Amino acid sequence: MKIHEILLSKLDHDKQKKQVTFSIEFFPPKTEQGIINLKKRIQKFAELEPIFFDITWGAGGSTSDQTLELSKHIHTSGHTCNMHLTCTNMTLEKIDHALKTAHDFGLTNILALRGDPISVSDNQKKQQDLIIDEQLTSALDLVRYIRSKYDDHFGITVAGYPEGHPSQITMIPRDELKNLSEKEKIRLSFRDENYYCCRDEAYQNELRYLKSKVDAGADMIITQLFFDSQLFIQFQQDCYEIGIRVPIIPGIMLIQNYNSFRRMITLCQTKVPKILMDRFDSTDRENVDLIQEIGLEHIKQMIHDLKGHVDHFHLYVLNKEKIAFQVIEHLKYF
Ligand code: FAD
């Protein structure tokens, strides 16, 4: 079944109970043993009854075999799977293979993405003959392509960025701060002694582009991770105002340790609320238990803040159980 349809039916069914639902995202491990371990972990998570599992797609199709294998495993085990698929640095042949394989084993949900360029310099790429003559260069192209080839077979999810896509976030000189609009102030972040923000004009472009992905056939949006609930609430409202009417699901990254948290906020250019950064600053960052405890408290607060605005949470669990189980426990009995 398509995920947006499941969510809608849950909403009708659970109206009285007002129970929130959740989904889990995994990335494919590199080794065979890792895949075996993840399959066991999926079984454990399945007992907690997530609505669906996402399996990510490595840039340029680097994990295509593993992503397809795990997606098939989830689907044939009787659970709902949302398989990610990117289109940059991928030949059309590879995209066709992925879609046909998924279609043929019965998968009905795809998260359609552009993807990021692979991390080798153009020169190296030329030498290694890695430059690919891409035919689909954006998620919009991919959504259109899937709809043109498979009509309504797949439920399609696309990515949304409450703070703007990282490529649209720019450094704000200190003397410009006073000129920021109220909405820009919500998106303003402070990192490594500098201020950053996706300015209103770029943000509006982003919203228009997101709407074009929905108009082209996307049924649902999952967001980039964020740590400030207000950003999501504003984004949800802005999407509504521009005419987006599909479910917008908050992507919540669980904090497993300080280094991975730091890596992700730099990669995604995510705003970290001062209250959370201050707590990390006054803590021994090597103390994983303490970092996880602070992170968990913050995520619980976010769930509390967002609960009146959403009925479903998508958890980036980074293939780990402990914190995820605690968050799910909290979600279930909240
Ligand atoms: P697009 O939607 O095509 O565009 C990204 C940005 O480009 C837009 O937000 C906009 O700023 C700009 N843009 C492009 N075209 C236009 C236009 N016509 N008009 C205006 N602006 C435009 N990466 C992976 O490699 N594998 C994964 O499995 C994966 N899963 C993800 C899941 C989620 C929920 C999210 C949020 C991201 C994921 N990513 C993944 C990362 C993603 O590939 C990158 O963020 C990538 O840079 C953009 O992909 P996209 O699908 O958002 O691209």
Side-chain angles (χ1 to χ4, degrees), residues 266-279:
T266 308
L267 186 74
C268 302
Q269 306 239 24
T270 312
K271 172 178 180 175
V272 181
K274 188 168 178 321
I275 190 165
L276 179 59
M277 211 59 231
D278 284 352
R279 289 203 68 190

Side-chain angles (χ1 to χ4, degrees), residues 146-158:
I146 297 172
R147 283 283 173 250
S148 73
K149 284 211 81 166
Y150 290 92
D151 198 9
D152 275 344
H153 174 80
F154 291 109
I156 303 180
T157 307
V158 289

Side-chain angles (χ1 to χ4, degrees), residues 75-106:
H75 178 75
T76 52
S77 308
H79 313 300
T80 304
C81 180
N82 198 21
M83 187 183 88
H84 295 203
L85 179 62
T86 64
C87 60
T88 42
N89 283 300
M90 294 258 296
T91 59
L92 201 54
E93 202 182 352
K94 202 159 188 174
I95 294 168
D96 277 335
H97 171 74
L99 289 171
K100 184 169 177 348
T101 310
H103 173 271
D104 290 354
F105 69 69

Side-chain angles (χ1 to χ4, degrees), residues 25 56-59 84 86 111-116 138-140 159-161 165 167-168 205-206 209 213 222-224 316:
E25 180 163 318
T56 64
W57 184 267
H84 295 203
T86 64
L111 199 164
L113 296 144
R114 183 190 71 185
D116 284 318
S138 67
L140 176 60
Y161 300 85
H165 185 268
S167 63
Q168 305 302 314
N205 270 338
E206 292 272 291
Y209 175 65
K213 292 199 278 188
I222 297 183
T223 74
Q224 174 94 286
Y316 299 119

